[in-house]
Amino acid sequence: MKYYIEVGTNNKAKQDIDEICRREGFCNLTRHNFGEGGVGRFLTKLVSVTSILWRLKKDDMLFLQYPVKKFYFMACTFAKWKGAKVVTVIHDLGAFRRHKLTASQENSRLSKTDFLIVHNPTMRDYLIEHGFKGGIHCLQIFDYLSDSQNHQQAQTTPTVVYAGNLGRWRNAFLYLLEPVMKGWQMELYGKGFDDQANTNASLHYHGFMASDDFIATAQADFGLVWDGDSLDECTGDWGTYLRINDPHKTSFYLRAGIPVIVWSQAAMAPFIEAQKVGISVDSLSQISDRLAQLSPSDYETMRRHAAEMSRRLNEGYYIKQGLAAANEYLKQHV
């Protein structure tokens, strides 16, 4: 049997993986909800984890999403006591971005799992370098489930969209763009942008839009994946993290059928270019030239590949590949 513990948060990436597990026939160990408050969530997770002791059997699979506050080590330990195998998909590495753990502390936790589904080859190599010895599969990109559909159309003026948290603390680069925006415009969606301070006539702020509405209606030639306070590189904790993680924002744009622009040093850059769903740049000052040099046929290829990627993301293709790889690995390591 295959089991999972429902995450029960507002995190879209985790919710989608829960849903895909349900569709794939995994049995949910979260059977009782004790409420949405802190105590209720604690009791819900505690009962779910302790149920491992009477529900799992030898050679069953327990699938977990990491990080799991407070209970990851306990869940893995209980599964091992029952002779079950543990498969973990990583969302965030606490040692790398939040710095709440050292690399050795995090590796000690992750060593309790038999198989890891990681973001990309850079994250895989980082974990192996810090001592992980189990099976590993690279997800490459997070899936994105949505009932919305979009039919992208070419824009009269080349248009780049940027969506998400627009606060200065995370994306001060938005206020520096005007000098490098030659021949293209930007559409902003999200909360936190100070439109009163915006003097850039080519940057248009639309406020917050629900994700399904964005996927259904947004029209753009590219979606930008960038963080920090610089035009020349991604900076700060979030920007530096792009060197190792797969930002969910990338999946969001591609689910809408919009090709992407990513930082050349981002871990996702090789995948984006190999799949022909976008371009990478060293600096935001390169966007004008890259767009001007892009032939209509090259761009149409990106648009077509982005539409196909959108279909795969909506089917849960990538996590299914990870679960299949885990299943095959566990068969060989009984």
Side-chain angles (χ1 to χ4, degrees):
M1 285 285 291
K2 298 177 182 178
Y3 295 88
Y4 75 105
I5 296 176
E6 189 174 71
V7 173
T9 73
N10 292 324
N11 183 294
K12 172 64 174 167
K14 293 181 178 181
Q15 287 178 340
D16 282 352
I17 290 178
D18 276 346
E19 175 60 27
I20 293 164
C21 284
R22 282 190 286 273
R23 295 179 184 180
E24 292 297 292
F26 281 63
C27 183
N28 185 6
L29 290 176
T30 304
R31 305 297 292 273
H32 302 283
N33 189 328
F34 292 92
E36 298 302 318
V39 174
R41 289 195 298 271
F42 176 85
L43 290 174
T44 298
K45 194 61 63 70
L46 178 62
V47 171
S48 301
V49 170
T50 54
S51 70
I52 292 170
L53 292 172
W54 62 83
R55 299 194 66 185
L56 268 66
K57 297 180 176 60
K58 188 176 186 300
D59 295 328
D60 283 344
M61 177 200 290
L62 175 63
F63 177 69
L64 299 172
Q65 300 196 57
Y66 180 91
V68 180
K69 289 183 179 179
K70 301 181 180 67
F71 291 110
Y72 182 76
F73 187 86
M74 182 187 295
C76 291
T77 300
F78 287 175
K80 296 293 183 175
W81 286 354
K82 300 295 290 186
K85 304 295 185 181
V86 180
V87 174
T88 299
V89 60
I90 291 178
H91 288 274
D92 279 309
L93 290 174
F96 200 90
R97 178 164 64 87
R98 300 183 186 278
H99 310 298
K100 291 186 176 181
L101 299 170
T102 66
S104 60
Q105 286 173 328
E106 191 147 53
N107 182 66
S108 177
R109 289 186 182 183
L110 294 174
S111 66
K112 298 289 288 184
T113 195
D114 298 282
F115 191 91
L116 282 178
I117 300 173
V118 303
H119 293 200
N120 51 60
T122 304
M123 185 177 285
R124 175 198 63 201
D125 295 346
Y126 168 84
L127 290 166
I128 291 174
E129 179 184 340
H130 285 87
F132 184 75
K133 301 185 184 304
I136 297 186
H137 172 83
C138 295
L139 187 66
Q140 301 290 8
I141 190 170
F142 280 93
D143 297 297
Y144 200 108
L145 306 184
S146 174
D147 291 332
S148 297
Q149 297 297 332
N150 194 322
H151 300 286
Q152 288 293 324
Q153 300 175 0
Q155 304 300 295
T156 304
T157 300
T159 300
V160 177
V161 68
Y162 190 85
N165 189 317
L166 307 179
R168 281 181 185 266
W169 64 271
R170 179 167 173 177
N171 291 311
F173 79 89
L174 293 169
Y175 300 89
L176 308 174
L177 281 169
E178 187 170 8
V180 303
M181 291 183 67
K182 297 178 174 64
W184 56 281
Q185 62 186 12
M186 175 173 280
E187 309 298 322
L188 286 180
Y189 294 88
K191 296 179 180 179
F193 184 69
D194 183 3
D195 203 28
Q196 299 294 321
N198 178 31
T199 60
N200 185 353
S202 297
L203 192 153
H204 312 127
Y205 179 49
H206 301 282
F208 173 79
M209 179 180 286
S211 57
D212 283 344
D213 293 336
F214 178 93
I215 290 170
T217 64
Q219 293 291 319
D221 297 301
F222 286 96
L224 177 64
V225 183
W226 199 270
D227 279 298
D229 59 6
S230 172
L231 300 179
D232 296 321
E233 62 178 342
C234 289
T235 58
D237 287 345
W238 290 91
T240 303
Y241 197 38
L242 293 175
R243 293 180 180 273
I244 197 172
N245 84 316
D246 290 354
H248 202 230
K249 188 194 301 281
T250 314
S251 304
F252 182 51
Y253 295 141
L254 288 167
R255 179 62 189 86
I258 303 173
V260 295
I261 299 172
V262 301
W263 183 34
S264 61
Q265 302 302 307
M268 286 204 77
F271 174 78
I272 294 303
E273 294 190 332
Q275 295 295 311
K276 299 181 179 179
V277 293
I279 59 175
S280 66
V281 294
D282 300 325
S283 164
L284 295 179
S285 63
Q286 294 179 341
I287 292 178
S288 295
D289 287 342
R290 290 298 303 274
L291 295 183
Q293 295 165 3
L294 198 61
S295 72
S297 62
D298 285 344
Y299 179 71
E300 182 54 35
T301 297
M302 287 185 194
R303 178 82 81 187
R304 187 174 66 253
H305 283 250
E308 175 59 22
M309 178 73 72
S310 175
R311 183 189 64 79
R312 292 200 296 270
L313 297 178
N314 198 44
E315 293 176 350
Y317 173 86
Y318 290 96
I319 192 63
K320 287 179 184 177
Q321 292 288 105
L323 293 171
N327 195 50
E328 188 62 30
Y329 176 88
L330 296 181
K331 285 181 181 177
Q332 297 173 9
H333 294 81
V334 174

